Amino acid sequence: MSTHLLDPMTQSQEFLKQQLSSSELGDRLKALNQSRGLPDADRFELVCIAGVDPSARVRYDALSQMSSLGQQNPAKAKQILWAALLNLEEEIDVRAAAADSIGALKLDGAFEILNESYHQTNEWLLAMSIVAALGELGDRRSFDLLSLALENENTLIKIAAVGALGDLGDQRAIDLLVSLAEQPEWEVRHRIAQSLTALVLQAEDENKDKSRVIATLQKLSQDESQPVATAATDFLAQLNR
């Protein structure tokens, strides 16, 4: 069939597929970026190719895009993301991108692989991404791991754990977060105020812990950190409506 009879979108996909085989890194990065204008099914095919690219920059971009494209073919997405997370990927930021996408896609077996990977890694970036992904995943089995992550010495992991507990919606987290409301890092206190509010708002019935949360937010509304005080005041207004 002559080229001029092909659908323009098909021509674009075929051209970008060829570019992903280029020996020039710039060509491959450009192709992946330009693929964003294609239909999701076509983008997914290109992202799968880029997901095993020799360059970590290309792989990172591809696996990050997988979070919004993986439902085109969950089995294929799972194969690529699992391989990246289970130590087959050398670059930690690429593995972190895989964890993010696994949580976003809520694929079968996501909790098990994220849980396993968290306990196997000593890399803070990957651990933080896994914690955040577990919050987005929404599997209540994550509660114990997230509770453990609250004790991590790395502030960013601790902040991610506080946020993930708020996303998870497990009311058991209220006791944990109230007890941490005097953490020295203002960023942690800020996220605690946010997550406590989210937990109360997510409760299906009248929350017996609401008064404790309000008392904690009232204290945080007088916090020495202005961002914490302002956020706590705003959250109190939400709960008192």
Side-chain angles (χ1 to χ4, degrees):
M1 182 182 294
S2 61
T3 303
H4 71 277
L5 295 178
L6 291 174
D7 179 85
M9 194 62 74
T10 302
Q11 291 186 54
S12 297
Q13 185 196 26
E14 289 303 318
F15 173 74
L16 294 178
K17 187 183 295 186
Q18 293 174 14
Q19 290 296 94
L20 285 175
S21 299
S22 171
S23 61
E24 296 294 328
L25 173 60
D27 290 341
R28 304 199 304 276
L29 287 170
K30 184 177 180 181
L32 195 54
N33 183 56
Q34 290 180 338
S35 72
R36 296 175 187 272
L38 296 176
D40 285 352
D42 294 337
R43 283 182 63 197
F44 178 76
E45 182 179 349
L46 297 178
V47 163
C48 288
I49 295 171
V52 292
D53 190 90
S55 167
R57 290 176 60 189
V58 176
R59 296 196 304 275
Y60 176 85
D61 191 358
L63 296 189
S64 296
Q65 291 190 49
M66 192 69 77
S67 64
S68 61
L69 298 173
Q71 291 300 341
Q72 296 295 318
N73 187 333
K76 181 66 173 179
K78 181 176 180 178
Q79 177 186 357
I80 293 172
L81 294 171
W82 260 234
L85 191 57
L86 289 176
N87 295 318
L88 300 181
E89 169 60 57
E90 296 180 356
E91 299 296 330
I92 293 300
D93 59 340
V94 180
R95 294 179 67 193
D100 292 340
S101 290
I102 289 171
L105 290 169
K106 299 177 171 59
L107 298 169
D108 289 341
F111 168 74
E112 288 81 2
I113 190 173
L114 291 171
N115 181 64
E116 177 184 348
S117 298
Y118 180 84
H119 289 292
Q120 288 181 347
T121 187
N122 293 317
E123 298 287 347
W124 72 267
L125 178 61
L126 179 56
M128 181 183 68
S129 293
I130 290 172
V131 166
L134 286 170
E136 188 167 8
L137 181 64
D139 190 318
R140 295 295 179 91
R141 291 177 295 172
S142 303
F143 181 81
D144 289 342
L145 186 155
L146 296 177
S147 300
L148 178 65
L150 288 176
E151 302 173 6
N152 199 289
E153 294 180 356
N154 186 295
T155 299
L156 294 177
I157 294 176
K158 191 181 301 182
I159 292 171
V162 172
L165 284 167
D167 293 337
L168 196 63
D170 191 319
Q171 299 297 300
R172 291 177 295 170
I174 290 178
D175 285 337
L176 292 174
L177 299 183
V178 167
S179 70
L180 295 174
E182 296 184 3
Q183 285 286 297
E185 305 93 346
W186 74 265
E187 298 93 342
V188 176
R189 300 196 303 276
H190 184 279
R191 188 59 64 89
I192 285 173
Q194 183 180 40
S195 289
L196 283 173
T197 303
L199 286 164
V200 172
L201 293 176
Q202 290 175 56
E204 296 180 356
D205 49 21
E206 185 63 26
N207 195 309
K208 62 183 177 62
D209 293 310
K210 183 175 180 179
S211 60
R212 294 176 61 217
V213 170
I214 288 177
T216 301
L217 290 176
Q218 287 173 335
K219 185 173 183 178
L220 289 173
S221 70
Q222 305 300 316
D223 198 275
E224 62 183 17
S225 167
Q226 190 59 47
V228 175
T230 300
T233 300
D234 291 342
F235 293 142
L236 276 170
Q238 291 183 41
L239 295 183
N240 288 324
R241 287 174 185 168

